[in-house]
Amino acid sequence: MTDPLVADLRRVLGNAAVRTDAIELALYGRDASLISGQAGVVCFPSNAEELVGVVRACAAHGRPFVPRGSGTGLAGGATPAGDVPPVVIVTTKMNRILEVDEEQRVAWVEPGVLNLDLSREVAHLGLHFAPDPSSQQSCSIGGNVANNSGGPHCLLYGVTNAHILAIEVVLPDGSVAMLGGIDPEPDGLDLRGAFVGSEGTMGIATRIAVRLTPLPPSVETLLADFATMHEAAAAVTGVIAGGIVPAALEMMDRNIAEAVEAFVHGGFPVDAAALLLVEVDGLAGGAAEQARRVEKVLRENGARSVQIAGSDEQRALWWKGRKSAFGAIARIAPNYYLHDCVVPRSRLVEVLEQVSEIAAGQELVLGNVFHAGDGNLHPLIIFDKRVPGTLDRVHEAGRQIIEVCVAAGGTLSGEHGIGLEKRDHMGLVFSAADLEAQLWLRDAFDPSGLCNPEKVLPRGGSRCGDVASLPAGAWV
Amino acid sequence: MGLTSTTSVLERFASEVGDYGPVCCVGGRTQWDVGGPVSSGTREVTAPAGVVAHEPAEMILRVRAGTRLEDLSAVVGEGGQRVALEGAADATVGGVISVGRSGVRRLGWGPLRDAVLEVTAVSSRGELIRTGAPLVKNVTGFDLCRLLTGSLGTLAFVAEVVLRCLPLPEVERWYVAEGADPFEVYRKLYRPLSILWDGRRTWVGLAGFEVDVEEQARGTLGEMFSLVDGPPSLPGPGRRSLAPASLRSLPSVVADAGAWLAEVGVGVVHCDSPAGDRLRCEDGPSQSVVELHRRIKENFDPAGRLNPGRQVITGAFS
């Protein structure tokens, strides 16, 4: 017998956009994390009206639902969880750029628009969308909003929240609200700011107004290599302490450099302990001055060589290498587990040494490729999950890495979010009162607890946490 | 000096706020009229003051909410940095964040809310609650920092914050011209600090490397503009928030309504009150947004004891 909810969903979307066969339910039972769950139904709305109709149907049936963009999330934020398999609402078909306002430097987009597609679309106007996660070829702007995703250039330009002006959302009860506005000081609380980074627990974006940023007239990109990680980290601190905020300041260790060089042939030194990729931009005079100062700091801190990109092609190749790192490590082993913690820049060396010891202790191969200028670490554990016992050691290493980062004054996530993966670690950085205050916000948006249940807040701090369970095999 | 706060000071403040009866938090009273008056008979408390730590290499500053902006600027400036808080010298950090209004350098600095990395606040239960982290990049948990910024102390009282700092620019210079088209100036300049326009004159703030400022002043602005000491004083106390492009039609809208000064590229218009009343162009928030406000207030302050009478949105809080 057909589930009455499925019948209602088909009335909203038609048969083709409502999927219930086992293969598709399994496909949409996970995102890019290691955590898998069980989807109840998968829906593909094509426009805001259909999306509102889907949410209203779920609300009417009291059925939990999970928003999902491109599925590139790494914390299980789009993994369906709970005793009742939720409806997975996929926004990839809502991928239209609705309006580009050159004068106000604003674009209205649907949530499924891919990050890089928007920048490509407005490049001829001398504009771009500044947040640039490494997955920007495949991640959606709705997903960026949900996770407040970062990227290399957030060091200078700010995280996604700084680039979102307004969001039209369908709230979990099916009502529609416009949060924020094109004007700078809309009346009321900053609900826009609260929604960004809420990981799909407070509703689903139907339209998003993003700020477009002028392309810099001049860009200088430097690649430096160091004999020790210590020297590279000291150079990072030296650049910032020297009063320079580069557009990006990225670090790669030897394992990553080897994998990337074999993949893109970008001229990355492969015998160094660490590489720094530094980009400065602005008007020509200032960019050149910054590059000069950065080079001086790099050399003073022991850089063996400093290359400056001599062409746009060279720069593009270096960035291709940096942004392809996660794919490139497939040459080493078939699986990876990517961490995302933030530590004070001054603690980078010490934390990296501890992370290295943790990996060695668990007999795991480790790579590091991360946003050093932000202190946003991405220890990458590379492994083959077919080897018995490996996954347990990976999880244990992950737990230990979180603990050393928090002990160093850091926090759980810089850009990937909490999702299912880290929610039970929230107590490491927040008190019960802190978490309850976060619940006050979530409950105001979603009193029924239907929207992406089980995510972000740990059990006991989540309205529905006591009636649902994690999917089998989930690690938290 | 570490960035761990002396919590006993904050705990004393929390104890003073307590968990019963109407209470308001008073800063420098420099924006005390925003959101309407506090109900009469409300007990007043004052947040603790003092800079706890400034770490230039981390680009962060931990400061207690009762600290005056003037004192803050001196400390941060000594470290060669600045924060994106603008206001009267007597204004307090907590007051500026609670009101949430950015200054005239918003075009270059970005909105005030983006500078707030961590907030420790006192809840309506008299408990300390912390959100965010002393790190420039962080997505751990829901963003109460932005929720509290601009909430007029109606959800919790800001006790201590960590702010993002940025390096002081090599130079900051201001220029003025009569009859220049400010929208054309905005289109041509790369990342100006500020463009202000009163319908007749255009002021431009440029900041950064001297070589860039000189190049933009000579090459882009040209001889029409002359150097001045700084931005003009603001007409007041009216303030309106408009879509940036709608400023083009401002002169005809406010032709007979007194002085005004618009932030081009941003959309804030500073004006005499009578003019301000004529600048509304939006219908107000939708019923669903009003309902969200009501539920948030109900969850954070069920007894309505924090800053009673002040309204962040008309009609949302009773």
Side-chain angles (χ1 to χ4, degrees), chain A residues 103-105 147-148 150-151 155-157 159 161-162 171 175-179 182-194 198-199 201-202 214-217 237 240-241 243 245 281-283 285-286 289-290 293 342-346 371 374 376 409-418 426 429-430 433-434 436-438 440-445 447 456-457, chain B residues 55-59 81 100-102 106 111 113-114 123-125 127-144 146-147 149-151 154-155 164 166-167 170 183 186-191 209 211-213 215-216 239-246 248 265-268 280 282 284-286 288-289 292-293 295-296 299-300 312-314 317:
Chain A
E103 181 181 1
Q104 302 202 100
R105 296 174 185 170
N147 283 351
N148 194 11
L155 178 59
L156 178 63
Y157 292 98
V159 295
N161 207 325
L171 297 168
S175 61
V176 176
M178 181 65 78
L179 313 180
I182 301 303
D183 60 316
E185 293 175 352
D187 275 351
L189 300 168
D190 185 9
L191 301 181
R192 172 213 60 86
S198 60
E199 303 193 29
T201 64
M202 296 183 191
L215 289 163
T237 304
I240 303 291
V245 182
D281 68 24
L283 293 159
E289 175 64 16
Q290 289 181 81
R293 293 186 191 181
V342 192
V343 297
R345 269 181 292 258
S346 57
H371 314 302
D374 290 316
N376 187 188
T411 194
L412 305 180
S413 175
E415 57 187 9
H416 296 170
I418 300 302
M426 288 280 277
V429 291
F430 291 118
D434 301 338
E436 188 170 11
Q438 294 189 33
W440 293 337
L441 174 63
R442 179 184 173 164
D443 271 0
F445 277 82
V456 184
L457 295 177
Chain B
E55 295 200 0
E58 295 291 343
M59 293 198 302
Q81 297 191 334
R101 290 178 169 180
S102 308
R106 173 169 170 154
R113 63 187 183 229
D114 290 346
S123 75
S124 64
R125 296 178 182 173
E127 291 179 323
L128 288 173
I129 53 174
R130 188 177 54 81
T131 179
L135 300 155
V136 295
K137 197 174 181 189
N138 171 32
V139 298
T140 307
F142 300 134
D143 193 342
L144 302 186
R146 284 182 170 84
L147 184 75
T149 301
S151 67
T154 58
L155 303 181
R164 180 178 189 175
L166 286 173
E170 204 169 86
F183 302 97
Y186 175 56
R187 194 180 64 77
K188 286 183 175 173
L189 287 174
Y190 179 70
R191 304 190 79 179
F209 289 95
V211 60
D212 291 339
V213 170
E215 191 273 330
Q216 296 227 71
R239 184 177 176 115
R240 291 291 176 266
S241 171
L242 303 176
S246 69
R248 280 185 182 279
V266 174
V268 170
R280 288 189 181 280
E282 298 291 336
S286 66
S288 53
V289 168
L292 279 172
H293 278 75
R295 291 202 296 246
I296 289 171
N299 288 354
F300 277 80
V312 295
I313 190 169
T314 306
F317 303 169

Side-chain angles (χ1 to χ4, degrees), chain B residues 3-35:
Chain B
L3 274 181
T4 304
S5 182
T6 45
T7 54
S8 61
V9 175
L10 305 185
E11 282 164 358
R12 274 202 300 276
F13 178 48
S15 171
E16 196 180 347
V17 173
D19 61 3
Y20 182 75
V23 57
C24 69
C25 189
V26 179
R29 296 185 191 272
T30 60
Q31 300 183 86
W32 195 237
D33 57 326
V34 178

Side-chain angles (χ1 to χ4, degrees), chain A residues 19-38:
Chain A
R19 313 288 177 81
T20 57
D21 65 276
I23 291 176
E24 290 196 270
L25 296 184
L27 278 174
Y28 287 91
R30 58 175 299 175
D31 53 16
S33 71
L34 294 177
I35 307 168
S36 59
Q38 180 64 48

Side-chain angles (χ1 to χ4, degrees), chain B residues 175-177 180-182 185 195-197 200-204 225:
Chain B
Y175 303 85
V176 68
D181 179 351
V185 169
I195 300 172
L196 305 173
W197 181 50
R200 191 165 57 89
R201 290 164 296 180
T202 298
W203 289 262
V204 175
F225 280 82

Side-chain angles (χ1 to χ4, degrees), chain B residues 84-310:
Chain B
L85 270 61
E86 293 186 84
D90 283 346
T92 61
V93 170
V96 170
I97 289 173
S98 296
V99 173
R101 290 178 169 180
S102 308
V104 295
R105 292 168 179 81
R106 173 169 170 154
L107 185 61
W109 287 4
L112 161 68
R113 63 187 183 229
D114 290 346
V116 183
L117 302 176
E118 180 189 286
V119 174
T120 303
V122 180
S123 75
S124 64
R125 296 178 182 173
E127 291 179 323
L128 288 173
I129 53 174
R130 188 177 54 81
T131 179
L135 300 155
V136 295
K137 197 174 181 189
N138 171 32
V139 298
T140 307
F142 300 134
D143 193 342
L144 302 186
C145 287
R146 284 182 170 84
L147 184 75
L148 295 177
T149 301
S151 67
L152 296 177
T154 58
L155 303 181
F157 291 162
V158 177
E160 186 174 281
V161 295
V162 175
L163 300 171
R164 180 178 189 175
C165 304
L166 286 173
L168 280 170
E170 204 169 86
V171 295
E172 175 181 321
R173 288 182 189 150
W174 287 80
Y175 303 85
V176 68
E178 191 109 8
D181 179 351
F183 302 97
E184 187 65 6
V185 169
Y186 175 56
R187 194 180 64 77
K188 286 183 175 173
L189 287 174
Y190 179 70
R191 304 190 79 179
L193 181 65
S194 183
I195 300 172
L196 305 173
W197 181 50
D198 69 358
R200 191 165 57 89
R201 290 164 296 180
T202 298
W203 289 262
V204 175
L206 299 175
F209 289 95
E210 184 165 13
V211 60
D212 291 339
V213 170
E214 280 297 307
E215 191 273 330
Q216 296 227 71
R218 282 185 286 105
T220 309
L221 295 179
E223 292 180 356
M224 193 176 186
F225 280 82
S226 55
L227 197 62
V228 287
D229 288 341
S233 55
L234 302 178
R239 184 177 176 115
R240 291 291 176 266
S241 171
L242 303 176
S246 69
L247 299 186
R248 280 185 182 279
S249 58
L250 212 50
S252 60
V253 175
V254 296
D256 58 347
W260 56 270
L261 190 73
E263 296 181 30
V264 174
V266 174
V268 170
V269 180
H270 307 268
C271 47
D272 296 335
S273 285
D277 291 341
R278 296 190 50 185
L279 288 178
R280 288 189 181 280
C281 67
E282 298 291 336
D283 292 335
S286 66
Q287 188 52 44
S288 53
V289 168
V290 173
E291 174 63 12
L292 279 172
H293 278 75
R294 191 194 63 73
R295 291 202 296 246
I296 289 171
K297 176 67 174 177
E298 171 69 21
N299 288 354
F300 277 80
D301 182 20
R305 60 184 300 260
L306 303 181
N307 281 2
R310 300 195 84 173

